[in-house]
Amino acid sequence: MKLISWNVNGLRACLGKGFTDAFEALNADFFCLQETKLQAGQVTLNLPGYHQFWNYAEKKGYSGTAIFAKKEPLSLRLGLGVPELDTEGRLITLEYENFFLVTCYTPNAQPELARIHHRLRWEDAFRTYLVGLDKEKPVLICGDLNVAHNEIDLKNPASNRGNAGFSDQEREAFGQLISAGFTDSFRHLYPEQTGAYSWWSYRFHAREKNAGWRIDYFLVSDRVKDQIQEASIHPEIFGSDHCPVELDIDL
């Protein structure tokens, strides 16, 4: 089973930068998007063989998630079930017979950590939600989780210490999520690999220099981690300031 996750940083823009070609080439069973920046009806995608599921932010041109799935799910949930956290279209859950699939676009803490309190409320609710799902059946979690967990996960850890995405609070929250029963699929297979990033600033030729961050993840319930077959990052695919990440798992 092949799954792809991609923060497209505006799907309408990405459609003009090769999204359809990448989608067809990757040929995933599940294709999860974050930061679609859409409202209902603003694009019509012709994706034969896929069921489409969307969660839109109330604010126009902001946030938003989507999942395109070859197999119809047993159930669909939008959001965390926490009203004050569910206005920005950040979460979709699909239920299947033997797993849940969750795609997430975690709130950014913003410069000078202006939104860190909201971010940490999200983190607590997100972890509680996932632990609840995990009690029912294994969970596959993907998306832009907006944090580089360890120094190996970004090019310049020293100069970014304390910044949004690499603050002690966000890193600790991610660690708490991992400790609650989940495995970072990429680090499970490649614990020492450096230079493996999924996001690059548009400034300072960062992508050309590979001065990036790994903030896009596939996490899996610990009890299925040994069923991971591959965890890949696709920096060769352009169209966004993020690149797609991939999970291949035998479930």
Side-chain angles (χ1 to χ4, degrees), residues 163-181:
N163 289 342
F166 199 59
S167 69
D168 291 349
Q169 301 97 308
E170 293 164 294
R171 295 172 66 194
E172 181 181 355
F174 188 88
Q176 290 174 345
L177 176 57
I178 294 295
S179 296

Side-chain angles (χ1 to χ4, degrees), residues 152-153 186-187 189-197 214 231 233:
I152 195 175
D153 295 314
F186 183 81
R187 284 291 170 227
L189 295 184
Y190 306 107
E192 305 297 332
Q193 185 169 329
T194 60
Y197 309 127
R214 190 176 70 94
I233 302 175

Side-chain angles (χ1 to χ4, degrees), residues 26-169:
L26 289 166
N27 188 28
D29 297 292
F30 298 92
F31 208 107
C32 304
L33 304 184
Q34 304 86 42
E35 207 171 0
T36 54
K37 296 184 177 179
L38 288 173
Q39 305 304 120
Q42 286 190 307
V43 297
T44 300
L45 289 182
N46 181 26
L47 303 175
Y50 287 87
H51 304 276
Q52 300 185 28
F53 306 95
W54 300 84
N55 194 3
Y56 306 103
E58 292 178 5
K59 180 181 177 181
K60 291 183 179 179
Y62 181 73
S63 190
T65 48
I67 300 179
F68 310 136
K70 287 184 177 179
K71 184 177 180 181
E72 190 169 3
L74 300 176
S75 71
L76 163 70
R77 308 181 199 183
L78 302 180
L80 290 167
V82 181
E84 62 269 26
L85 297 176
D86 284 341
T87 63
E88 296 178 348
R90 293 185 177 275
L91 198 83
I92 300 174
T93 304
L94 302 185
E95 179 185 7
Y96 290 90
E97 288 183 10
N98 58 342
F99 68 96
F100 289 102
L101 173 60
V102 178
T103 198
C104 176
Y105 177 39
T106 300
N108 192 300
Q110 301 295 325
E112 299 183 1
L113 304 185
R115 212 183 186 202
I116 190 66
H117 296 298
H118 176 81
R119 166 65 177 263
L120 295 177
R121 284 198 300 273
W122 173 275
E123 294 282 4
D124 288 342
F126 184 49
R127 184 175 63 255
T128 298
Y129 177 74
L130 295 177
V131 168
L133 293 180
D134 189 47
K135 290 178 181 177
E136 297 182 43
K137 59 185 80 173
V139 190
L140 311 180
I141 306 122
C142 70
D144 175 2
L145 303 187
N146 255 320
V147 62
H149 187 202
N150 293 309
E151 291 190 356
I152 195 175
D153 295 314
L154 71 167
K155 177 70 171 182
N156 297 305
S159 60
N160 281 293
R161 176 76 183 272
N163 289 342
F166 199 59
S167 69
D168 291 349
Q169 301 97 308

